[in-house]
Amino acid sequence: MSVAPRSSERPTVADTFGRPLRSLRLSVTDRCNLRCQYCMPEEEYAWLPRETLLTFEEMATLTEFFTELGVDKVRLTGGEPLLRKALPVLIRMLRRNSRIKDLALTTNGVRLAEQAQAFHDAGLHRVTVSLDTLKPERFLALTRRDTFARVLEGIEAVRRVGFTGLKLDTVAIRGYNDDELVDLIEYGKGVEAEVRFIEYMDVGGATDWSMDKVVSRQAILHVVSQRYGRIEPILEDSSAPAQRFVLPDGTTFGIISSTTAPFCSTCDRSRLTADGMWFLCLYATVGVDLRQSLRDGASREDIQALILAGWQARRDRGAEQRKELERHGVRARLVEIERLREDPRLEMHTRGG
Ligand code: SAM
């Protein structure tokens, strides 16, 4: 295997555009306890068969293969990751891997209050909670579940048990929550969280998407500056998807402009589904089946050679291509609904948004 060592002794595995293999989103389940209209508009889905789900041991093993090739950021996601039983056990296993410098979790917060302490005790570094509205009736309309109060309790619990660096992710949707952007920043201040606005994306599952529902980075900045005045961008040397800004009072917030200004050129993330399919882009329709290799008894070297070959051949820039379609006035859905129904791995909730 030809991997050039870096000064930090971490190997640099780069794709065809020179993007390093660095960040892994590990989906622990495809199930979710919400039905957000922009992600899971249906009530029922074709779920991954249970016997195909990776065990925690398999997840830790595959993660180790990745970290030996340069990954040092791991984010647990889903579906809703808190639906996976005994998640602290996986967190402890991953914390034994000293190559992981940042171990984070993205959750809808519904079951967070009862689990936050166990996550903290297990050594999880950071938590991100998805929060799209502060209005209970809107939450119910969007998610079709009456669990708004529990999300707020979950957010409070994160702070109480001692986590710092809490982030709140908000998908900004015109006509739904675009009148709450300032309120969300104010709420974030109160709970010591940084709010990150995400542009609504046309991805698998987002079957109601249309460009006129996207609140662009420009529009978000306009609304926020009308309330707070001058907004300064924070200059960071980072591959993080969010561009961060600071308000005159020192409050920071971020914008992930994945639709109008995609970050493909610096994207160092790949995704492992709960059944061990490795996707190199959120928009990719084909993945690499690492579970099969693992269960067939392939060696560490064999699987790492697969990962290496996959990453070195990577040419994906899915969000940019999606944007190009839009520019040419093509409203083609990247994945048709029938195909989504046939292959659950094409859904956003299966590959962990
Ligand atoms: N259940 C967890 C949660 O709610 O955070 C983790 C999985 S969820 C798929 C991850 C993130 O993807 C959430 O912040 C969600 O808002 C975001 N997301 C889902 N569909 C989206 C879309 N069409 N556009 C933008 N973000 C989306």
Side-chain angles (χ1 to χ4, degrees):
M1 208 183 312
S2 62
V3 181
R6 267 200 289 220
S7 51
S8 62
E9 285 183 28
R10 248 177 11 111
T12 307
V13 174
D15 71 7
T16 50
F17 298 128
R19 299 169 296 187
L21 172 66
R22 243 205 104 203
S23 161
L24 182 70
R25 294 176 78 93
L26 187 56
S27 177
V28 297
T29 178
D30 59 329
R31 313 261 164 163
C32 193
N33 45 359
L34 298 182
R35 286 292 178 275
C36 301
Q37 307 276 5
Y38 57 73
C39 184
M40 299 184 76
E42 311 285 323
E43 207 37 66
E44 271 309 315
Y45 285 89
W47 305 109
L48 298 174
R50 285 195 188 273
E51 65 282 6
T52 66
L53 298 188
L54 297 176
T55 64
F56 286 163
E57 286 74 15
E58 288 172 327
M59 285 182 186
T61 300
L62 288 176
T63 303
E64 199 180 293
F65 297 168
F66 279 100
T67 56
E68 287 176 354
L69 292 174
V71 163
D72 63 0
K73 293 173 76 176
V74 176
R75 179 171 291 273
L76 304 178
T77 181
E80 170 49 30
L82 276 56
L83 295 186
R84 181 87 187 226
K85 283 205 190 75
L87 198 56
V89 172
L90 176 64
I91 293 170
R92 279 183 205 281
M93 283 180 178
L94 294 173
R95 284 290 276 125
R96 285 201 284 272
N97 181 339
S98 60
R99 289 190 171 88
I100 300 176
K101 302 295 176 224
D102 184 23
L103 180 61
L105 167 80
T106 294
T107 171
N108 61 31
V110 175
R111 291 201 180 176
L112 192 51
E114 58 260 36
Q115 300 191 53
Q117 184 70 58
F119 294 157
H120 193 258
D121 295 348
L124 183 72
H125 293 134
R126 294 188 300 122
V127 178
T128 299
V129 181
S130 299
L131 180 72
D132 299 319
T133 178
L134 295 166
K135 297 181 191 291
E137 68 283 2
R138 281 192 185 174
F139 182 92
L140 176 61
L142 178 81
T143 67
R144 285 168 288 163
R145 300 291 185 270
D146 197 4
T147 48
F148 176 68
R150 292 173 64 188
V151 176
L152 296 194
E153 283 164 23
I155 291 170
E156 286 294 337
V158 171
R159 227 181 9 155
R160 199 174 52 244
V161 304
F163 281 108
T164 54
L166 171 65
K167 293 203 172 81
L168 299 176
D169 277 4
T170 301
V171 182
I173 302 181
R174 190 167 309 288
Y176 167 66
N177 63 356
D178 51 334
D179 58 345
E180 288 191 72
L181 307 185
V182 164
D183 293 347
L184 283 155
I185 290 179
E186 288 299 311
Y187 172 78
K189 284 187 197 179
V191 294
E192 293 166 34
E194 182 171 292
V195 176
R196 303 191 310 173
F197 299 112
I198 308 174
E199 287 180 353
Y200 186 14
M201 286 183 274
D202 184 20
V203 282
T207 45
D208 258 350
W209 186 93
S210 62
M211 192 62 201
D212 58 335
K213 291 188 189 146
V214 176
V215 187
S216 67
R217 171 173 64 180
Q218 216 183 352
I220 294 169
L221 287 174
H222 177 71
V223 169
V224 176
S225 66
Q226 277 198 322
R227 165 70 165 77
Y228 296 103
R230 198 176 166 80
I231 303 170
E232 295 288 346
I234 300 175
L235 299 176
E236 288 170 308
D237 182 19
S238 151
S239 64
Q243 185 180 358
R244 296 174 68 231
F245 299 88
V246 59
L247 301 177
D249 71 355
T251 303
T252 56
F253 71 99
I255 302 179
I256 302 179
S257 42
S258 21
T259 298
T260 66
F263 56 94
C264 300
S265 63
T266 56
C267 180
D268 59 8
R269 342 168 137 183
S270 63
R271 297 152 194 282
L272 192 62
T273 61
D275 66 342
M277 193 66 86
W278 183 44
F279 285 99
L280 282 68
C281 175
L282 183 56
Y283 289 82
T285 49
V286 179
V288 180
D289 189 350
L290 298 182
R291 181 197 74 237
Q292 197 59 47
S293 302
L294 193 65
R295 291 191 182 170
D296 284 350
S299 67
R300 168 185 302 255
E301 287 72 27
D302 289 344
I303 295 180
Q304 285 185 323
L306 267 182
I307 296 172
L308 198 55
W311 194 264
Q312 286 175 334
R314 180 180 186 246
R315 306 187 60 81
D316 302 70
R317 40 182 208 91
E320 284 178 358
Q321 283 166 339
R322 176 65 195 87
K323 190 179 169 205
E324 278 160 26
L325 280 183
E326 197 65 38
R327 210 175 29 233
H328 295 113
V330 183
R331 177 63 197 98
R333 195 170 298 291
L334 291 184
V335 180
E336 292 299 334
I337 185 85
E338 291 70 25
R339 236 183 119 207
L340 282 178
R341 290 199 175 114
E342 277 165 23
D343 186 353
R345 294 192 204 88
L346 299 175
E347 296 273 4
M348 178 81 152
H349 66 266
T350 303
R351 55 179 61 188

